[in-house]
């Protein structure tokens, strides 16, 4: 059965961030992910992980000025120095948190920027990031994201992501398969999983189209969870959705799966 990680940026917003680890553990999660840890000293987060026996599964490298709308730096020409500084900081946090996966966001290039130049910048930055991450035992993730939520985001399709992964050629570069984004852009989720599973390092889920609980909307997640088992997927499934109400009240969809993993 899949192992589920609570995304603490979106879930448990009823309590302050550092209290969300305890809430997730009490609901049966064994792993957690979030967008960014950098507002908190790494040791504060490490203490929460230790106290709750949770695994830190994933977080994002610095992504520029998030408040002003930036969504990553890796494919933005001219931002290479800032990108490299961010990778150094992210790997320091990864070491402190025992986290072995780091999501590197491509970003949203200006409309006048050449796509070819952005792609070359992305490949070069990923080559640097994977080289640095390898020394820390960290795998770098890239994730196609739908342009409805993030207009102008550089990386939007599975084939695009896997072609870039192949071009970089690093063994510690994988693709993050977010079923929510993939359904919006491409659909055909089961066939995409079958095609690319060998190079998928992390899976995330949310209901489509509103990004609420996975038992809402058009995607048959029980079918996909069984397919992940059939395909031998051994990674985590991140619960990156916006609860319709109080987080705990909306976890009914997950309880059978948590019971199954707890019994293993």
């Amino acid at each position: 059965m899949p192992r589920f990680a609570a995304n603490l940026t979106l879930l448990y917003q009823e309590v302050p961030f550092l209290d969300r680890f305890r809430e997730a553990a009490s609901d049966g999660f064994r792993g957690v992910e979030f967008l960014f840890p950098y507002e908190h000293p790494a040791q504060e987060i490490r203490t929460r992980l230790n106290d709750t026996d949770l695994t830190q599964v994933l977080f994002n490298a610095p992504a520029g000025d998030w408040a002003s709308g930036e969504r990553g730096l890796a494919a933005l020409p001219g931002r290479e120095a800032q990108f490299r500084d961010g990778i150094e900081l992210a790997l320091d946090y990864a070491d402190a948190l025992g986290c072995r996966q780091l999501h590197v966001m491509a970003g949203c290039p200006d409309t006048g920027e050449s796509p070819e130049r952005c792609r070359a910048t992305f490949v070069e930055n990923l080559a640097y990031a994977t080289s640095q991450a390898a020394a820390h035992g960290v795998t770098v993730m890239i994730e196609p994201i739908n342009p409805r939520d993030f207009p102008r985001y550089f990386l939007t399709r599975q084939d695009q992501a896997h072609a870039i992964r192949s071009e970089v050629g690093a063994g510690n570069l994988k693709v993050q398969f977010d079923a929510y984004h993939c359904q919006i852009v491409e659909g055909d989720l089961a066939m995409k999983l079958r095609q690319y599973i060998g190079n998928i390092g992390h899976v995330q889920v949310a209901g489509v189209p509103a990004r609420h609980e996975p038992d809402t909307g058009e995607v048959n997640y029980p079918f996909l969870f069984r397919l992940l088992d059939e395909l031998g997927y051994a990674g985590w499934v991140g619960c990156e959705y916006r609860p319709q109400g109080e987080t705990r009240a909306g976890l009914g969809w997950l309880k059978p799966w948590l019971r199954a993993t707890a019994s293993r």
Side-chain angles (χ1 to χ4, degrees), residues 2 214-215 219-229 253 257:
D215 61 343
V219 177
N220 182 351
Y221 278 110
F223 172 80
L224 292 181
F225 296 154
R226 290 190 292 270
L227 177 61
L228 288 173
D229 280 346
W253 71 273
W257 301 96

Side-chain angles (χ1 to χ4, degrees), residues 108 144-157 181 184-186:
C108 304
I145 293 177
N146 82 78
R148 185 180 75 197
D149 287 358
F150 287 6
R152 305 194 326 276
Y153 195 75
F154 180 75
L155 190 65
T156 61
R157 294 182 57 86
H181 293 302
I184 290 170
V185 177
E186 305 177 64

Side-chain angles (χ1 to χ4, degrees), residues 7-8 10 17 19 25 55 74 85 93 108 116 118-119 129 136-137 152 173-174 178 186 194 207 220 246 250:
N7 186 296
L8 298 186
L10 297 185
F17 176 76
D19 293 335
T55 297
D85 288 344
Y93 268 81
C108 304
E116 293 78 14
C118 292
R119 191 182 193 283
H136 298 257
R152 305 194 326 276
L173 179 61
K174 297 289 185 179
D178 188 314
E186 305 177 64
R194 289 185 183 277
N220 182 351
E246 191 265 343

